[in-house]
Amino acid sequence: MSNQEENLIDVNHGTQLHKVHGDQKVFEQELENVFGRSWLFLTHESIIPNHGDYVVTKMGTDEVIVSRQENGDVKAFLNVCRHRGAQLCPHEAGNAKGFVCSYHGWGYGNTGELQSVPFDKEVYGGLLDKCKNSLHEVAKVESYNGFIYGCFDENSPSFSDYLGDLKWFLDPYFEHSGGLELIGPPARCLIRANWKCPAENFVGDAYHVGWTHASALRTGESVFTPLAGNSTPPTEGLGLQITSKFGSGLGVLWDAYAGIHDSSLINDMMQWATIKEQQLAEKIGADRARIYRSHLNTTIFPNNSFLTGSGVFKTWQPIDKDTTEVFTWTMVEKDMPEELKQRIAMSVQRTFGVAGYWESDDNDNMESETYMTKGFQAINKNLNAQMGIGNDVYNGKYPGVVCESAIGETSYRGYYRAYSAFINANSWHEIEDKSSNWADILTNAKTK
Ligand code: UNU
Ligand code: FES
Ligand code: FE
């Protein structure tokens, strides 16, 4: 147990040590205990629809090939040749029945099997066992309404159990809407910030929107514009915060489907969602139909964040303790007119693309959080995630641990409670064990 970090997170008091935002030893434990055990977003069915379609993406610091099989399944493999370890596929995406290494020419099927070895008989004398040199396969791959996630640990719960109480809130938009598609290829860029800074921001920070994004709100004229400069106080009934057993969490801002998009999109998007909300009300009831037409800011633990309605969909890939590669896609509803999908995709790049006028507001804060906490004196001091502590309710009116307030830190606490369980566990069995009383821990937390 000596390699573990019992004091990094104080789950009972809603505080974390500064070094959670970037410490070499903590980073190494995250790769093993968090990225090695969690469900990580890979790609979407709509991006690899046909046999042989593939993308190359990241799972933690590993690069993986995600490939559509002949029977329709999706498999994922480390993008590393079994011979001398060279990068197997140098492209970001394409269609291929197999991959040939650029170094000595070993050839693999898109099933991962080693199929051809130059001069196999002559140089190995028939002693090379091809069956034992398949590509290293990611243990589990699952689709949630077309969103494909992979997990390195075969003992993980199913993706839907992993989502836990969040599923009830996500299904209206992801499933009952008729389904989504993801528009790629993802924009990619590096930020000088620890990967958790943006992950925790998206899991539950409605607090920063009016302040950090004041000028984006004023110039963009979105449905959130009244919040600009914190000129409107958070009213009762504005929204909710929700967290779940394994750290995934979200914030609801009621009736705000058009999200971050500017005035050129508000009318068309709200009209679209209002008609669909009425249809959904008959199918799934008025409460959940309203959730479809609301705005959800979400992080699926640990590093996949999105804004529903807004259509912003991201992964935060760790490069090192202070560097993150940000991937940004657009998600839209399948049955939207093509022209509306394209306008949303362009607006997502204008707002949350690599130079987006919302994204760049956030990145200054992400980078300064990462650096300021590294000072010699600062490093051992605490962060504070105590807002609304004591007001969290488990399985009340809604599933999950919920606070009926738009602004608060319920989802931060849930995220870091789970993070602490992952960091201090050596197996999924131990994560489950440390999480059996998760809701009690969160609802009983006190500031002192
Ligand atoms: O967390 C965010 N980035 C966000 C939250 C954005 C818009 C509304 C709420
Ligand atoms: Fe939140 Fe300073 S006010 S980081
Ligand atoms: Fe932001």
Side-chain angles (χ1 to χ4, degrees):
M1 299 288 134
S2 61
N3 66 331
Q4 298 180 351
E5 294 285 344
E6 297 290 350
N7 304 317
L8 198 56
I9 311 295
D10 182 349
V11 291
N12 297 315
H13 302 104
T15 63
Q16 308 94 30
L17 281 179
H18 274 184
K19 72 179 196 179
V20 78
H21 282 167
D23 173 86
Q24 191 54 34
K25 201 167 126 235
V26 169
F27 184 72
E28 283 157 20
Q29 288 182 12
E30 288 173 346
L31 294 178
E32 183 172 350
N33 294 358
V34 178
F35 288 90
R37 301 218 168 87
S38 302
W39 283 99
L40 305 173
F41 179 73
L42 298 174
T43 189
H44 191 277
E45 306 267 7
S46 62
I47 291 178
I48 50 167
N50 302 312
H51 175 212
D53 287 348
Y54 71 86
V55 294
V56 172
T57 190
K58 301 292 290 288
M59 291 177 76
T61 53
D62 290 288
E63 211 171 273
V64 292
I65 302 172
V66 185
S67 173
R68 174 78 71 172
Q69 305 295 297
E70 196 165 9
N71 69 359
D73 288 353
V74 173
K75 289 188 174 191
F77 312 98
L78 296 189
N79 188 18
V80 179
C81 180
R82 290 296 304 271
H83 180 221
R84 308 301 302 160
Q87 184 187 45
L88 188 57
C89 177
H91 310 294
E92 281 187 29
N95 181 287
K97 301 280 153 38
F99 304 93
V100 178
C101 181
S102 63
Y103 195 176
H104 306 93
W106 282 25
Y108 303 83
N110 84 320
T111 56
E113 292 159 320
L114 177 59
Q115 292 177 338
S116 65
V117 173
F119 306 125
D120 186 10
K121 290 201 182 60
E122 293 85 341
V123 297
Y124 287 98
L127 294 175
L128 179 70
D129 188 346
K130 292 206 189 72
C131 297
K132 293 207 170 102
N133 288 281
S134 300
L135 295 178
H136 295 292
E137 189 170 344
V138 176
K140 294 166 97 173
V141 174
E142 279 189 34
S143 167
Y144 169 65
N145 295 302
F147 289 76
I148 300 168
Y149 291 79
C151 181
F152 286 119
D153 190 335
E154 60 189 358
N155 297 316
S156 70
S158 69
F159 184 74
S160 114
D161 287 347
Y162 181 79
L163 277 184
D165 293 318
L166 234 59
K167 206 173 128 53
W168 190 89
F169 295 89
L170 294 178
D171 284 351
Y173 183 72
F174 281 80
E175 180 185 341
H176 303 299
S177 70
L180 306 176
E181 64 190 53
L182 207 57
I183 301 175
R188 295 169 66 157
C189 74
L190 295 176
I191 58 172
R192 298 293 286 157
N194 183 265
W195 66 273
K196 295 186 298 306
C197 294
E200 65 177 41
N201 172 274
F202 273 70
V203 85
D205 199 323
Y207 193 32
H208 82 294
V209 174
W211 193 249
T212 289
H213 297 297
S215 74
L217 289 163
R218 289 194 185 105
T219 56
E221 295 180 68
S222 68
V223 294
F224 298 135
T225 289
L227 305 172
N230 284 348
S231 57
T232 315
T235 50
E236 213 175 301
L238 190 67
L240 308 171
Q241 311 153 62
I242 294 98
T243 188
S244 64
K245 186 174 185 179
F246 298 120
S248 298
L250 61 83
V252 178
L253 294 172
W254 288 121
D255 310 314
Y257 178 88
I260 48 135
H261 298 297
D262 68 26
S263 52
S264 69
L265 269 161
I266 291 181
N267 287 345
D268 290 348
M269 288 188 73
M270 290 313 290
Q271 197 178 9
W272 171 266
T274 301
I275 293 167
K276 200 177 269 187
E277 181 187 11
Q278 287 160 3
Q279 297 161 352
L280 288 186
E282 289 168 28
K283 243 173 53 186
I284 58 174
D287 287 349
R288 292 178 82 207
R290 189 182 181 201
I291 287 173
Y292 153 79
R293 191 175 159 281
S294 295
H295 188 267
L296 314 185
N297 57 277
T298 309
T299 294
I300 304 297
F301 187 88
N303 71 328
N304 169 219
S305 299
F306 50 82
L307 307 176
T308 70
S310 291
V312 175
F313 192 94
K314 297 197 177 251
T315 59
W316 320 106
Q317 301 294 355
I319 301 290
D320 61 36
K321 68 185 175 61
D322 301 318
T323 314
T324 298
E325 187 173 13
V326 182
F327 288 59
T328 308
W329 295 258
T330 298
M331 57 179 173
V332 291
E333 289 167 45
K334 264 187 208 157
D335 56 356
M336 280 176 163
E338 204 52 42
E339 170 268 332
L340 183 58
K341 291 178 185 173
Q342 288 309 316
R343 282 163 63 207
I344 295 171
M346 287 189 283
S347 178
V348 164
Q349 295 309 327
R350 283 199 300 277
T351 51
F352 273 99
V354 298
Y357 65 90
W358 281 66
E359 180 81 353
S360 52
D361 292 337
D362 287 315
N363 287 345
D364 279 347
N365 291 323
M366 306 294 120
E367 297 191 353
S368 83
E369 286 176 89
T370 300
Y371 280 92
M372 295 317 288
T373 51
K374 300 285 168 21
F376 183 81
Q377 298 293 333
I379 189 79
N380 290 312
K381 307 253 188 300
N382 281 322
L383 297 161
N384 183 309
Q386 298 179 326
M387 198 190 306
I389 211 164
N391 297 332
D392 297 335
V393 173
Y394 180 49
N395 281 349
K397 192 165 151 198
Y398 300 98
V401 168
V402 175
C403 183
E404 285 199 51
S405 155
I407 296 184
E409 287 170 336
T410 302
S411 311
Y412 273 70
R413 291 189 290 274
Y415 181 95
Y416 277 110
R417 189 220 62 83
Y419 174 89
S420 179
F422 275 79
I423 282 284
N424 292 300
N426 290 312
S427 65
W428 256 102
H429 182 78
E430 285 184 26
I431 296 166
E432 294 270 10
D433 209 45
K434 289 176 191 292
S435 300
S436 58
N437 59 344
W438 71 280
D440 288 339
I441 294 172
L442 292 172
T443 53
N444 293 332
K446 291 181 180 59
T447 48
K448 256 297 140 246

